[in-house]
C-alpha cells in the first residue's frame, strides 16, 4: 500500500507539488488516491483529500496508506471515518501524529472513537529519496526547507 502511495506522490512531484501521496483501501481495492496540493497558498493534505474522496463514495472498512507520517488533522479525520489501520513510510518529526495515535485512549462512552493501528517506517529510505529528489529540483520556498528537514533529519 505504501508503494501505491509513493506512486501517487511521484505524480504530484511531476506536477511541481510536494512528493506526498495517499491511497485509501476498502477491502483489497484502492477506492481513493490523492497527492498534496499547494494551491492558492493553502496546503491540501494528500491523506485528507483521499479520505474525503473515499467518504464521498460511501466506502467502508477503510485503511489508509501515505508515504509520509500523517499529521494530527489527518489522524483526526481518519478517526472520524473509522479508518482501521494507517501504513506510512517516512516519519515527520515536526507534525507527525503516530505517537498520538498509539497513546490514544477512548473517552467515557466513546469506545467507537478509536485511533487506527499505525504502522510506520515502511520503505522509509525510498521515501526519503523521493524528498531528496524534490529538494534537488524545487524552488527555495518554506515548503522545500521543511522537506529538506525530512531528508537531513535536521
Ligand atoms: Zn495531514
Amino acid at each position: 500500500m505504501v508503494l501505491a502511495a509513493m506512486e501517487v506522490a511521484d505524480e504530484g512531484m511531476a506536477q511541481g507539488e510536494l512528493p506526498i501521496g495517499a491511497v485509501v483501501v476498502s477491502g483489497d481495492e484502492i477506492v481513493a488516491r490523492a497527492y498534496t496540493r499547494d494551491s492558492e497558498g493553502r496546503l491540501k493534505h494528500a491523506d485528507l483529500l483521499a479520505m474525503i474522496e473515499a467518504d464521498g463514495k460511501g466506502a467502508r472498512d477503510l485503511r489508509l496508506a501515505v508515504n509520509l507520517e500523517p499529521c494530527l488533522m489527518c489522524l483526526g479525520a481518519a478517526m472520524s471515518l473509522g479508518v482501521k489501520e494507517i501504513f506510512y513510510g517516512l516519519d515527520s518529526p515536526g507534525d507527525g501524529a503516530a505517537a498520538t495515535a498509539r497513546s490514544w485512549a477512548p473517552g467515557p462512552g466513546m469506545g467507537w472513537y478509536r485511533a487506527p493501528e499505525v504502522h510506520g517506517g515502511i520503505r522509509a529510505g525510498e521515501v526519503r529519496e523521493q524528498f531528496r529528489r524534490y529538494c534537488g529540483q524545487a524552488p527555495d520556498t518554506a515548503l522545500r526547507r521543511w522537506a529538506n528537514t525530512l531528508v537531513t533529519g535536521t
Side-chain angles (χ1 to χ4, degrees):
M1 286 176 64
V2 170
L3 183 61
M6 289 171 61
E7 288 168 3
V8 180
D10 276 338
E11 290 173 27
M13 187 159 39
Q15 300 299 318
E17 302 285 0
L18 282 164
I20 306 173
V23 298
V24 176
V25 172
S26 173
D28 291 332
E29 187 190 355
I30 292 176
V31 293
R33 59 204 301 285
Y35 52 79
T36 289
R37 294 166 191 269
D38 178 28
S39 61
E40 295 158 5
R42 296 193 58 171
L43 202 62
K44 297 177 178 169
H45 294 198
D47 20 11
L48 187 62
L49 293 173
M51 286 189 283
I52 289 169
E53 186 187 341
D55 187 45
K57 292 175 174 173
R60 295 286 179 265
D61 189 25
L62 304 178
R63 289 175 291 150
L64 168 70
V66 198
N67 64 332
L68 185 68
E69 182 181 359
C71 72
L72 278 170
M73 171 180 73
C74 294
L75 173 65
M79 290 170 69
S80 292
L81 276 178
V83 170
K84 291 182 167 50
E85 287 180 289
I86 296 175
F87 302 86
Y88 75 84
L90 189 61
D91 287 341
S92 184
D95 67 348
T100 301
R102 291 189 182 111
S103 64
W104 182 267
M110 293 188 71
W112 46 270
Y113 192 57
R114 293 184 170 279
E117 236 178 83
V118 178
H119 314 275
I122 302 163
R123 297 178 178 269
E126 294 164 71
V127 176
R128 185 176 290 111
E129 196 50 44
Q130 284 185 302
F131 279 92
R132 193 187 312 275
R133 288 205 313 276
Y134 169 81
C135 290
Q137 69 188 37
D140 183 22
T141 63
L143 283 177
R144 193 194 78 179
R145 289 191 289 277
W146 166 74
N148 199 54
T149 67
L150 300 171
V151 176
T152 63
T154 55

